[in-house]
């Protein structure tokens, strides 16, 4: 007699991301409750189980949900505000002044737009960089719970408005003092960490290099250990970061992170461009996670992170899309492809990295950064059922000789058909079931126009818009 189960995703190319990196061509995934019960060839699954619901994945890749390890939820309303700027100009003239004028409704609508795009493009888990109270953090977390996404949302901690040597870089509307930012972070941990059946995590985020003292950075590290939460931060993202730690502390950025207690497995560093070659062994030894954002780094000409060297040294490298003003999408499929392209042209090596490395960065490596590698990031019996179905039966992906290659080289987030998180269907035939898509899009357009007026920021265009 066949065992009764909730869902079977049947007859797809199942990219497991398990230890052996097996791909079952004509495979099925069995889901019962919030867990994966079995993964095998479809004909064997059919003989063992009978499902309440069957999802036909013929002509599709079935794979773990993607994990975006660096995203700015409040920046979605700034998509396309300024696409041609140097990094400090982008931050100081556009991004921070706009965010410094946000109210709670702006923060909520921006975050909803991020949740919508992530779900529709196959992201099931994410790490959000620091939030400010003016965005209405509790309101954002309530919407996150409704969305069904798995998210680590971090709270900024800061003392000064400095960024590296720029003493007053951060907009006054984003300034917080240490005591209140710490107090708010602790409140969020106590009230929200572990909510939504464990899908919501609260992390800590030092505001920037220069905005926190050595003592504060060490205190953040200790608080994270005490409450067993993660830390995420922008680190070694711009050359002035390295210049600052060299000038003030006579250290490179990895050594400085070690000095203040931030080189640890519960830390995810966004960008990590300006580490020196001799520091890579420190990163590998510590277990710290580096979130690579290749599209942003290229768009702003920030530099090229030493990702091939890090991967070969055993550093856990994951992927992030960063913010909408500096990337324009939350599509991790684009990020995977560009991660391969950037490092091939930079090293003049046409065979490394490969599609397989990109898939690891977007799945199991991201799970490791979240501290959830035993729960998500691969399709294996006993793990959480965070699964996506990606259409390969179309003009831009066929013929398919290697499903892993096809996913990275020939697809985008627009090819995601179905998304399950914790075994629950959240996207079906490209329709998001947990969010009101049309309402979010309408509100986002209106809010974006109003926030530019509030911030007195003008969108500069090369060509006239009539």
């Amino acid at each position: 007699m066949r065992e009764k189960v909730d869902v079977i995703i049947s007859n797809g190319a199942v990219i497991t991301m398990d230890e052996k990196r097996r791909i079952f061509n004509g495979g099925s995934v069995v889901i019962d409750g919030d867990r994966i019960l079995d993964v095998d060839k479809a004909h064997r699954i059919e003989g063992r189980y009978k499902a309440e619901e069957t999802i036909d994945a013929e002509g599709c890749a079935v794979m773990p949900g993607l994990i975006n390890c660096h995203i700015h939820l409040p920046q979605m309303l700034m998509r396309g505000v300024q696409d041609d700027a140097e990094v400090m100009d982008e931050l100081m003239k556009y991004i921070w002044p706009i965010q410094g004028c946000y109210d709670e409704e702006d923060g909520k609508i921006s975050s909803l737009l991020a949740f919508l795009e992530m779900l529709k493009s196959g992201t099931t888990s994410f790490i959000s960089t620091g939030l400010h109270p003016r965005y209405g953090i509790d309101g954002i977390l309530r919407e996150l719970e409704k969305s069904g996404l798995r998210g680590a949302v971090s709270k900024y901690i800061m003392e000064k408005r400095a960024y590296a040597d720029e003493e007053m870089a951060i907009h006054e509307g984003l300034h917080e003092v240490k005591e209140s930012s710490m107090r708010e972070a602790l409140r969020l941990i106590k009230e929200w960490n572990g909510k939504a059946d464990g899908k919501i995590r609260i992390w800590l985020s030092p505001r920037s290099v220069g905005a926190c003292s050595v003592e504060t950075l060490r205190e953040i590290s200790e608080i994270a250990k005490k409450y067993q939460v993660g830390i995420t931060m922008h680190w070694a993202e711009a050359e002035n970061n390295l210049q600052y730690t060299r000038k003030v502390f006579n250290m490179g950025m990895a050594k400085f992170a070690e000095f203040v207690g931030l080189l640890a497995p519960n830390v995810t560093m966004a960008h990590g461009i300006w580490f020196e070659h001799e520091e890579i062994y420190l990163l590998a030894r510590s277990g710290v996670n580096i979130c690579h954002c290749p599209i942003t780094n290229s768009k702003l000409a920030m530099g090229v992170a030493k990702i091939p060297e890090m991967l070969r040294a055993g550093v856990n490298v994951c992927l992030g899309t960063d913010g909408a003003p500096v990337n324009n999408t939350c599509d991790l499929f684009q990020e995977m492809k560009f991660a391969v392209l950037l490092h091939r042209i930079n090293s003049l090596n046409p065979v490394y990295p490969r599609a397989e490395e990109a898939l690891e960065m977007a799945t199991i490596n991201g799970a490791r950064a979240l501290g959830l590698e035993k729960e998500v990031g691969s399709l294996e019996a006993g793990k959480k059922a965070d699964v996506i179905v990606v259409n390969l039966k179309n003009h831009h992906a066929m013929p398919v000789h290697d499903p892993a290659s096809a996913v990275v080289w020939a697809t985008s987030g627009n090819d995601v058909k179905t998304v399950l998180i914790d075994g629950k269907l959240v996207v079906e035939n490209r329709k998001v079931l947990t969010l009101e898509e049309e309402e979010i899009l309408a509100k986002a357009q209106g809010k974006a126009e109003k926030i530019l007026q509030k911030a007195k920021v003008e969108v500069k265009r090369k060509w006239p818009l009539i």
Side-chain angles (χ1 to χ4, degrees):
M1 182 177 291
R2 293 185 295 168
E3 182 178 348
K4 290 183 179 180
V5 295
D6 292 327
V7 179
I8 296 177
I9 304 173
S10 69
N11 201 33
V14 180
I15 304 172
T16 66
M17 302 307 300
D18 65 9
E19 284 191 9
K20 295 181 179 178
R21 303 297 189 257
R22 292 178 299 170
I23 299 175
F24 291 99
N25 204 22
S28 294
V29 178
V30 181
I31 298 167
D32 202 42
D34 63 350
R35 300 276 172 176
I36 295 169
L37 187 62
D38 204 349
V39 182
D40 206 339
K41 297 287 280 189
H43 69 272
R44 289 195 284 265
I45 292 295
E46 288 170 9
R48 297 176 199 156
Y49 305 98
K50 183 178 181 180
E52 292 287 331
E53 180 178 3
T54 299
I55 298 171
D56 182 9
E58 192 272 328
C60 299
V62 181
M63 56 187 289
L66 303 184
I67 300 173
N68 188 341
C69 289
H70 184 62
I71 185 171
H72 291 254
L73 299 178
Q75 290 184 6
M76 297 301 294
L77 296 183
M78 294 179 246
R79 195 193 316 257
V81 165
Q82 174 52 269
D83 289 324
D84 308 290
E86 184 271 335
V87 61
M88 291 308 297
D89 279 351
E90 183 81 10
L91 291 169
M92 294 177 66
K93 294 181 180 179
Y94 300 97
I95 294 174
W96 289 339
I98 294 171
Q99 287 181 248
C101 293
Y102 267 40
D103 59 30
E104 292 189 1
E105 187 67 11
D106 298 325
K108 183 175 82 170
I109 296 302
S110 185
S111 298
L112 279 168
L113 186 57
F115 300 156
L116 179 66
E117 186 176 352
M118 283 193 283
L119 284 172
K120 293 200 77 163
S121 58
T123 289
T124 56
S125 300
F126 68 88
I127 300 173
S128 167
T129 194
L131 295 182
H132 187 283
R134 73 175 310 123
Y135 309 146
I137 302 173
D138 292 273
I140 291 171
L141 293 170
R142 283 191 288 271
E143 297 300 334
L144 172 58
E145 186 169 13
K146 293 176 191 174
S147 77
L149 279 158
R150 194 180 304 282
V153 175
S154 65
K155 169 68 182 70
Y156 272 136
I157 294 172
M158 66 185 298
E159 294 168 278
K160 301 182 293 182
R161 290 169 54 190
Y163 180 93
D165 279 336
E166 294 275 356
E167 286 293 330
M168 303 298 284
I170 297 169
H171 189 272
E172 60 185 355
L174 298 176
H175 184 229
E176 294 181 82
V177 297
K178 174 182 174 180
E179 291 74 16
S180 62
S181 61
M182 284 280 198
R183 187 165 55 247
E184 177 70 350
L186 290 172
R187 180 189 73 80
L188 290 167
I189 289 170
K190 291 171 183 175
E191 294 182 11
W192 281 99
N193 194 45
K195 287 291 180 70
D197 296 321
K199 291 198 295 293
I200 294 177
R201 305 289 181 102
I202 303 298
W203 283 21
L204 307 176
S205 186
R207 187 63 177 85
S208 62
V209 177
C212 295
S213 66
V214 167
E215 292 71 27
T216 297
L217 293 173
R218 287 176 174 162
E219 191 174 344
I220 291 169
S221 176
E222 290 305 312
I223 290 171
K225 289 175 187 173
K226 178 179 177 180
Y227 290 96
Q228 296 184 310
V229 299
I231 298 170
T232 188
M233 57 199 182
H234 299 82
W235 206 259
E237 65 171 339
E239 189 173 13
N240 64 2
N241 291 190
L242 175 59
Q243 291 168 344
Y244 173 77
T245 60
R246 279 282 178 211
K247 177 182 174 182
V248 178
F249 302 101
N250 193 30
M251 296 180 192
M253 294 220 67
K255 192 67 180 173
F256 180 64
E258 183 182 51
F259 176 65
V260 296
L262 292 175
L263 212 60
N266 69 324
V267 177
T268 297
M269 296 176 167
H271 302 292
I273 299 167
W274 291 92
F275 291 120
E276 296 165 313
H277 286 283
E278 58 270 23
E279 291 184 308
I280 290 175
Y281 82 95
L282 268 180
L283 302 176
R285 187 181 69 189
S286 69
V288 74
N289 309 285
I290 304 299
C291 182
H292 185 35
C293 304
I295 294 179
T296 291
N297 299 165
S298 300
K299 184 180 179 182
L300 293 177
M302 297 164 70
V304 181
K306 300 172 181 65
I307 298 304
E309 295 96 318
M310 291 184 194
L311 290 172
R312 288 180 174 125
V315 177
N316 187 55
V317 179
C318 45
L319 284 179
T321 58
D322 208 350
V326 293
N327 183 336
N328 302 72
T329 83
C330 303
D331 187 345
L332 270 176
F333 287 88
Q334 291 189 32
E335 213 73 38
M336 284 193 285
K337 182 175 181 177
F338 203 79
V340 177
L341 291 172
L342 173 63
H343 296 291
R344 286 191 178 188
I345 189 62
N346 186 58
S347 63
L348 299 180
N349 183 344
V351 298
Y352 189 84
R354 293 167 52 93
E356 290 84 354
E357 278 79 32
L359 279 166
E360 287 172 340
M361 286 188 268
T363 57
I364 193 66
N365 292 9
R368 190 169 293 113
L370 275 167
L372 294 175
E373 67 271 25
K374 293 182 180 178
E375 293 286 297
V376 298
S378 63
L379 303 183
E380 300 180 74
K383 282 198 167 185
K384 291 280 192 178
D386 290 7
V387 190
I388 64 175
V389 180
V390 184
N391 183 25
L392 301 180
K393 199 174 183 178
N394 52 51
H395 66 279
H396 56 265
M398 290 189 74
V400 177
H401 299 292
D402 179 345
S405 172
V407 163
V408 173
W409 289 113
T411 67
S412 74
N414 291 325
D415 294 308
V416 174
K417 289 178 58 179
T418 303
V419 178
L420 296 94
I421 302 175
D422 258 4
K424 295 182 176 66
L425 200 60
V426 291
V427 178
E428 184 176 26
N429 293 321
R430 294 212 45 77
K431 178 178 173 56
V432 178
L433 304 179
T434 56
L435 300 172
E436 296 297 330
E437 181 169 356
E438 294 305 318
E439 181 182 341
I440 292 168
L441 296 178
K443 287 184 176 180
Q445 186 64 40
K447 281 288 180 185
E449 292 165 3
K450 289 178 182 177
I451 193 67
L452 290 181
Q453 294 171 5
K454 279 197 289 185
K456 298 179 181 178
V457 169
E458 182 183 354
V459 178
K460 294 181 181 179
R461 303 182 182 93
K462 295 287 184 184
W463 296 344
L465 181 64
I466 299 171

